[in-house]
C-alpha cells in the first residue's frame, strides 16, 4: 500500500521511524500517567489496580489485532511468533530470567524506559546494560547460549496459534479479550485510568497495521512489528554508535518516542525528578537484573510488551508461553527475596529502604 502514497524520496523504512516516533510518544505519555508495568501487576503493593490497567490494555490489543486480521488488513502467517518448531527451552529459561531481572530492577523494560525519561538515572543505567547484553546475546559473545537453547524445540505442526484450536481465533480472542476487560472493570481503577489503558492497548494494533499494511512495500519490504523493547533497545544502542552506517528503523523511533513522551508527561504533570543509586549493593543488584533481562528477553522472544502486550494478541503459543514464564520467574524471585530478612544481604524488597527504590 505504501507505494500508492506517491512518495518519491521517502522509503517505507524511513516512514516507519516516523510512525514509531508517534506511537512511542503516545505510549510514553500514557504509560507515565498510568504507571503501566507488568511487574507491578504481579508483585506491587497495588497489584490489583496495576493488573487491571495491564489487562485492560491487553484486552483491547487482542480485540483490535484480531479484528485487523479478520478484515484482511494483516496476517501473521510466516511471522516469527508462528514458527512451526517451538524453542520451548529457550522461551522458558529466558522468560524466567527476564522475570527475575525485572524484580531485581523493580521494573520491566518498558517501565524503566519511562522512568528514564522521568529523570531516573538507575533506570537509565539498567537500559544501557540491558541493551548491551541483549545485543551480545543476539549477535555477540552470548550468541552460543541463544543458539544452543534455541536448538531444543518442540514441533507444533499447524498448532502454532490458538486460532488452530477448536473455536478458532474468534472464540479465543473473545475469551482473552473480554476476560481481560472484565477484570479491568472490576479492578478498582478510576474510569479515566482505564480509558488511558484502552489507548495503550490501541497502540498495538495501530503498529501492526501501520507496519504490515499501511507501509507495506512489495519492492522494499519492512518487518511487520508492534510495540516491543528488547530488539529496539539493542538496535538503538547500535544506531547510536554507528548511525552513519546503520540507518534508523522502527525500533529506534519507538524507543526515542517513548523517552520523549515520558519526559514531556513528567514535566507537564511535575512528576519529573532526578534519582540515582544509594549504595554499591543496590547498584550491583540493578546491574544483575539488567543482565538477566538482556539475556532473557532475547531467549524468550520478547519482553513483557513485545511477547506479552504485542505478542499475545497474535494468539501465538510461543508468546503465551513467554509471558507465562516471565510471570513465573517474577513470582518465584519475589518470593525468594521476601524470605530474606530486612537485615539480610541481597534483600531487594526491604521495607526499610523505600527511598532507594524507583518511583512507581
Amino acid at each position: 500500500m505504501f507505494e500508492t502514497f506517491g512518495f518519491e524520496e521517502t522509503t517505507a523504512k524511513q516512514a516507519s521511524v516516523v510512525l514509531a516516533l508517534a506511537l512511542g510518544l503516545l505510549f510514553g505519555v500514557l504509560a507515565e500517567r498510568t504507571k503501566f508495568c507488568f511487574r507491578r501487576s504481579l508483585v506491587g503493593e497495588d497489584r490489583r489496580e496495576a493488573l487491571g490497567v495491564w489487562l485492560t490494555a491487553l484486552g483491547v490489543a487482542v480485540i483490535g489485532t484480531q479484528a485487523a486480521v479478520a478484515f484482511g488488513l494483516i496476517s501473521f502467517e510466516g511471522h516469527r511468533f508462528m514458527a512451526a518448531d517451538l524453542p520451548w527451552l529457550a522461551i522458558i529459561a529466558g522468560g524466567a530470567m527476564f522475570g527475575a531481572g525485572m524484580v531485581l530492577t523493580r521494573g520491566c523494560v518498558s517501565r524503566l524506559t519511562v522512568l528514564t525519561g522521568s529523570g531516573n538515572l538507575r533506570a537509565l543505567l539498567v537500559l544501557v546494560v540491558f541493551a548491551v547484553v541483549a545485543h551480545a546475546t543476539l549477535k555477540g559473545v552470548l550468541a552460543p547460549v541463544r543458539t544452543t537453547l534455541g536448538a531444543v524445540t518442540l514441533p507444533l505442526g499447524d498448532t502454532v496459534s490458538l486460532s488452530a484450536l477448536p473455536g478458532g481465533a474468534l472464540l479465543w480472542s473473545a475469551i482473552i479479550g473480554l476476560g481481560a476487560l472484565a477484570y479491568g472493570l472490576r479492578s478498582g481503577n478510576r474510569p479515566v485510568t482505564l480509558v488511558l489503558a484502552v489507548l495503550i492497548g490501541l497502540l498495538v494494533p495501530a503498529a501492526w497495521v501501520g507496519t504490515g499494511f499501511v507501509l507495506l512495500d512489495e519492492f522494499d519490504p519492512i518487518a511487520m512489528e508492534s510495540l516491543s523493547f528488547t530488539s529496539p533497545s539493542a538496535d538503538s544502542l547500535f544506531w547510536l554508535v554507528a548511525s552513519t552506517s546503520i540507518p534508523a528503523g522502527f525500533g529506534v523511533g519507538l524507543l526515542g518516542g517513548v523517552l520523549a513522551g515520558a519526559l514531556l508527561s513528567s514535566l507537564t504533570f511535575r512528576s519529573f525528578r532526578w534519582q540515582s543509586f544509594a549504595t554499591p549493593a543496590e547498584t550491583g543488584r540493578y546491574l544483575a537484573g539488567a543482565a538477566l533481562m538482556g539475556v532473557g528477553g532475547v531467549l524468550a522472544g520478547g519482553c513483557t510488551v513485545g511477547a506479552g502486550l504485542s505478542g499475545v494478541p497474535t494468539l501465538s503459543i510461543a508468546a503465551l508461553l513467554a509471558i507465562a514464564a516471565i510471570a513465573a520467574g517474577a513470582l518465584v524471585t519475589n518470593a525468594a527475596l521476601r524470605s530474606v530478612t530486612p537485615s539480610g544481604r541481597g534483600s531487594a524488597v526491604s521495607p526499610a529502604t523505600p527511598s532507594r527504590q524507583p518511583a512507581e
Side-chain angles (χ1 to χ4, degrees):
M1 182 178 179
F2 179 74
E3 61 185 19
T4 64
F5 293 149
F7 293 138
E8 298 180 355
E9 299 181 356
T10 303
T11 65
K13 186 171 186 177
Q14 292 170 335
S16 74
V17 176
V18 178
L19 171 65
L21 275 170
L23 294 174
L25 186 70
L26 290 172
F27 182 88
V29 172
L30 295 169
E32 197 278 331
R33 287 291 83 206
T34 60
K35 298 181 180 179
F36 185 80
C37 180
F38 188 65
R39 185 205 69 87
R40 286 180 60 244
S41 70
L42 295 176
V43 300
E45 294 181 358
D46 58 342
R47 53 185 173 272
R48 180 186 177 189
E49 292 83 358
L51 184 58
V53 170
W54 204 89
L55 287 179
T56 297
L58 178 66
V60 172
V62 169
I63 294 172
T65 299
Q66 288 303 311
V69 173
F71 282 104
L73 299 180
I74 56 174
S75 171
F76 291 103
E77 183 178 355
H79 193 274
R80 66 179 181 86
F81 280 135
M82 302 299 174
D85 294 321
L86 179 71
W88 64 270
L89 183 58
I91 291 175
I92 292 176
M97 293 172 68
F98 190 95
M102 75 179 187
V103 169
L104 291 176
T105 59
R106 289 182 57 83
C108 55
V109 178
S110 62
R111 178 61 179 160
L112 291 168
T113 305
V114 172
L115 287 175
T116 298
S118 305
N120 192 311
L121 300 180
R122 292 188 295 261
L124 173 60
L125 179 60
V126 169
L127 284 185
V128 172
V129 174
F130 169 78
V132 171
V133 175
H135 200 278
T137 308
L138 281 168
K139 302 177 182 179
V141 296
L142 296 177
V145 176
R146 173 180 56 81
T147 55
T148 300
L149 295 180
V152 181
T153 61
L154 175 67
L156 295 180
D158 295 330
T159 316
V160 296
S161 167
L162 293 181
S163 60
L165 299 180
L170 179 60
L171 174 63
W172 291 103
S173 59
I175 290 175
I176 297 174
L178 296 180
L181 290 175
Y183 184 94
L185 290 173
R186 297 172 61 87
S187 62
N189 282 292
R190 295 181 302 165
V192 65
T193 301
L194 294 179
V195 169
L196 296 180
V198 167
L199 295 178
I200 291 176
L202 289 174
L203 297 178
V204 172
W208 285 127
V209 173
T211 57
F213 177 70
V214 178
L215 298 183
L216 178 62
D217 186 350
E218 295 180 355
F219 297 101
D220 186 19
I222 62 173
M224 184 175 73
E225 51 191 322
S226 188
L227 306 185
S228 66
F229 286 85
T230 301
S231 180
S233 295
D235 291 344
S236 297
L237 176 67
F238 198 49
W239 177 77
L240 282 173
V241 298
S243 59
T244 57
S245 302
I246 306 297
F250 183 89
V252 175
L254 180 68
L255 200 68
V258 173
L259 290 170
L263 175 62
L264 176 63
S265 178
S266 62
L267 290 175
T268 301
F269 293 97
R270 299 183 179 181
S271 56
F272 182 94
R273 56 174 173 157
W274 294 111
Q275 299 180 70
S276 188
F277 294 101
T279 66
E282 184 182 49
T283 305
R285 187 174 67 245
Y286 275 73
L287 292 178
L292 284 171
M293 287 196 295
V295 177
V298 173
L299 294 179
C303 61
T304 56
V305 170
L309 186 65
S310 296
V312 171
T314 69
L315 302 184
S316 162
I317 299 296
L320 289 164
L321 179 61
I323 195 63
I326 291 173
L331 292 171
V332 170
T333 302
N334 187 70
L337 292 174
R338 286 190 176 278
S339 68
V340 180
T341 61
S343 60
R345 296 181 177 180
S347 174
V349 290
S350 171
T353 57
S355 63
R356 298 178 183 177
Q357 309 302 346
E360 295 189 350

